[in-house]
Amino acid sequence: MTFNALLLDQDMTLAIKEVSDNDLPAGEVLVKVDYSTLNFKDGLIMNGLVKLVKQYPHVPGIDFAGTVEASQDDRYKPGDRVVLNGWRVGEIHWGGYAQKARVKADWLVPLPDAISTKRAMAIGTAGYTAMLSIMALEDHGMKPDQDGEVLVTGASGGVGSIACAILANLGYKVAGSTGSESSHAYLKSLGVSTIVPRSELEEGPRGPLGGERWIGAIDNVGGSTLHHVLATLKYWSCCASVGLAASNELHTTVLPFLMRGITLQGIDSATCPFERRVTAWERLTNELPMDKLDALTSEITLSELPEVGKKILKGQTQGRIVVDVNS
């Protein structure tokens, strides 16, 4: 039985080719994939900018949603709807840019009944990471009735967009940072109350600490922006670090940690424990406004991935991009 897959060769060429079930890597569960999605990491992988892929040819796509076709694990049976995020799928294990995938049962999460497979990928790793970030900030005491704003950097991207929509829906005052003036109306539609120019955060404050400004933050940027954010958080607040769009380096001081008790919390969505994954997806079902999710989502085909994968690296995409692997 053959099906279509987007294959990445060692010379970094991408092409849709027919493969068979026998070509798939080992795993207990065979999934008929409905949708995948495009994330920043997918763009890096498809363009050979990170050395994550170990064997070629390779199928990228770090997440997918679909229906179980066959299972050797009692937890799943044919017909079950499932979602996968992380576990280095799409990196060292064949991923979601194909009409079928075979993976370990431990990597899957049952998809809540209220979410379609298309909406699951509109949420995708980005939205799931956004929910984990919000959960981390709440674990450190952040509440909607606090005086102040939650900052989301890279707010018009995938993680940022969904984080802004959820935070606003929960009653938080949201500040969204972006370098694109054309994104201002879009961010306002998600519930962002304050637009923060990217340039305002690109340089550190004068001195080791700036004025207290944020009750919490979700940072997609890294580098000097993260340094600025850490230095301007309010006492005992937390920053969830989820991305490195600008840089993976951080030059800062320990003073925000020692003098204000702030926390820098890394979010590793790829290997998050199963129970927390289930909680995140349940909360996404209840706390992400689906009308806003639909409005920030666009759809592409497998054949469009190479071109759009270049655009996401240049910051030329907005919101969430769903990939229909069957069209």
Side-chain angles (χ1 to χ4, degrees), residues 35-260:
Y35 295 94
S36 185
T37 186
L38 177 63
N39 300 281
F40 190 82
K41 183 184 284 186
D42 295 312
L44 293 172
I45 291 169
M46 287 192 292
N47 288 280
L49 298 179
V50 286
K51 304 302 181 183
L52 299 175
V53 180
K54 305 302 181 185
Q55 291 185 322
Y56 297 89
H58 176 71
V59 177
I62 66 172
D63 49 12
F64 63 78
T67 304
V68 172
E69 187 171 293
S71 176
Q72 299 172 350
D73 188 288
D74 292 340
R75 287 172 289 179
Y76 297 101
K77 63 183 184 301
D80 287 348
R81 298 183 321 129
V82 292
V83 61
L84 182 143
N85 310 103
W87 301 109
R88 305 206 69 184
V89 168
E91 299 176 28
I92 61 175
H93 192 94
W94 277 20
Y97 294 163
Q99 293 173 316
K100 290 187 182 182
R102 185 185 288 123
V103 295
K104 293 184 177 181
D106 288 342
W107 297 348
L108 296 169
V109 173
L111 189 61
D113 291 340
I115 301 180
S116 67
T117 52
K118 182 176 180 179
R119 277 180 167 165
M121 284 298 97
I123 294 168
T125 289
Y128 156 69
T129 301
M131 190 73 251
L132 291 178
S133 301
I134 293 168
M135 290 164 62
L137 299 187
E138 292 174 340
D139 288 344
H140 286 86
M142 190 181 78
K143 298 178 181 178
D145 59 1
Q146 283 180 265
D147 182 21
E149 295 177 309
V150 185
L151 173 67
V152 179
T153 67
S156 62
V159 176
S161 295
I162 294 185
C164 289
I166 297 172
L167 287 165
N169 188 54
L170 291 173
Y172 289 97
K173 302 183 199 68
V174 184
S177 173
T178 179
S180 171
E181 289 189 15
S182 62
S183 296
H184 290 192
Y186 166 73
L187 292 176
K188 291 287 187 179
S189 74
L190 298 179
V192 171
S193 54
T194 302
I195 303 293
V196 181
R198 179 193 299 162
S199 57
E200 187 177 315
L201 303 177
E202 286 179 331
E203 293 185 9
R206 297 175 184 175
L209 291 172
E212 294 179 73
R213 193 168 180 185
W214 320 112
I215 63 171
I218 298 173
D219 177 58
N220 291 279
V221 179
S224 60
T225 295
L226 179 54
H227 165 58
H228 187 113
V229 172
L230 294 174
T232 50
L233 284 166
K234 293 194 172 191
Y235 274 86
W236 300 106
S237 54
C238 176
C239 174
S241 174
V242 299
L244 39 72
S247 175
N248 64 355
E249 294 186 358
L250 176 60
H251 302 286
T252 188
T253 74
V254 298
L255 293 181
F257 310 102
L258 300 181
M259 297 182 67
R260 288 187 180 163

